[in-house]
Amino acid sequence: MALGTMKKDHGRRAAGDAGFTLLELLVVMVIIGMLAGFVAPRYFSQVGKSEIKAARAQMDALEKALDQYRLDVGHYPTMEQGLVALVERPASEPRWDGPYLKRAVPPDPWGSPYMMTVPGQHGEIDLVSYGKDRQPGGTGEAADITNW
């Protein structure tokens, strides 16, 4: 082969070469980043709503178990007995016919225990979850979840 007939390849790919250039990879990364920017906020707002719905469902199940306890025993558990009385027989309750829950009393979706007040200010028994911020009061996802 003569030296004059050789052609130099100045960064062009031959038809059989496979792979991506740095520019192509950067374009794909930018597109993925833009999609994540639009989708992530919507996804995380749904997670917060589902935690609130789960807390309401758990509180409803606790209320039903407390009502069954009251039918059997004649009164709601005392503040000293707490919600544990739904799964473990209190020593002073001979008519207890539980357990009233299949498992131990669950914490709320944010990992805090449900608060019970007997007698309640809003009914015979008040149940409260302080929500995401774990503080009384709040708005939105940090609002208290109650049974009244």
Side-chain angles (χ1 to χ4, degrees), residues 66-88:
L66 285 163
D67 288 340
Q68 186 62 47
Y69 179 98
R70 181 177 149 210
L71 286 172
D72 289 346
V73 176
H75 58 84
Y76 287 112
T78 64
M79 294 285 290
E80 292 78 30
Q81 293 168 335
L83 293 172
V84 175
L86 296 174
V87 291
E88 296 177 12

Side-chain angles (χ1 to χ4, degrees), residues 4-21:
T5 60
M6 292 180 77
K7 295 184 180 178
K8 290 186 178 180
D9 186 12
H10 294 285
R12 294 186 190 110
R13 288 185 279 176
D17 289 348
F20 297 101
T21 64

Side-chain angles (χ1 to χ4, degrees), residues 117-126:
T117 306
V118 180
Q121 295 178 351
H122 304 278
E124 292 182 72
I125 189 163
D126 290 349

Side-chain angles (χ1 to χ4, degrees), residues 19-85:
F20 297 101
T21 64
L22 180 60
L23 181 60
E24 291 169 331
L25 291 174
L26 288 174
V27 168
V28 169
M29 295 299 287
V30 167
I31 292 171
I32 290 172
M34 288 173 53
L35 288 173
F38 290 120
V39 173
R42 292 177 189 251
Y43 170 76
F44 288 115
S45 72
Q46 294 301 319
V47 169
K49 288 178 185 175
S50 67
E51 288 173 332
I52 292 169
K53 288 179 183 177
R56 290 188 198 280
Q58 286 178 337
M59 196 170 290
D60 186 51
L62 290 173
E63 259 190 306
K64 289 177 181 170
L66 285 163
D67 288 340
Q68 186 62 47
Y69 179 98
R70 181 177 149 210
L71 286 172
D72 289 346
V73 176
H75 58 84
Y76 287 112
T78 64
M79 294 285 290
E80 292 78 30
Q81 293 168 335
L83 293 172
V84 175

